[in-house]
Amino acid sequence: MPKPKRGKFAKFNKEWRGTCPLCNRTRVKILWEKSDDGKTLKVCKQCGA
């Protein structure tokens, strides 16, 4: 079963790697969405869990 958050899928998204707005970790995958104060933010895997 394929995993949707790795490999070719991630590289098709622009800005798939960067700095997480919640924990300020750098050069991580920013593919998970989290709702914060009515806004949807793209966050890293640890913050999205």
Side-chain angles (χ1 to χ4, degrees):
M1 183 176 251
K3 306 288 185 197
K5 303 288 188 198
R6 59 168 101 153
K8 290 181 184 178
F9 171 81
K11 293 179 183 174
F12 285 132
N13 294 332
K14 293 188 175 195
E15 300 176 5
W16 66 282
R17 190 177 284 272
T19 303
C20 179
L22 294 181
C23 65
N24 293 325
R25 291 178 63 207
T26 58
R27 299 202 34 87
V28 293
K29 290 182 186 175
I30 308 293
L31 296 175
W32 291 264
E33 294 183 356
K34 187 164 190 167
S35 180
D36 186 34
D37 296 333
K39 297 178 185 176
T40 303
L41 300 172
K42 294 269 188 166
V43 296
C44 66
K45 185 175 182 177
Q46 284 76 21
C47 293

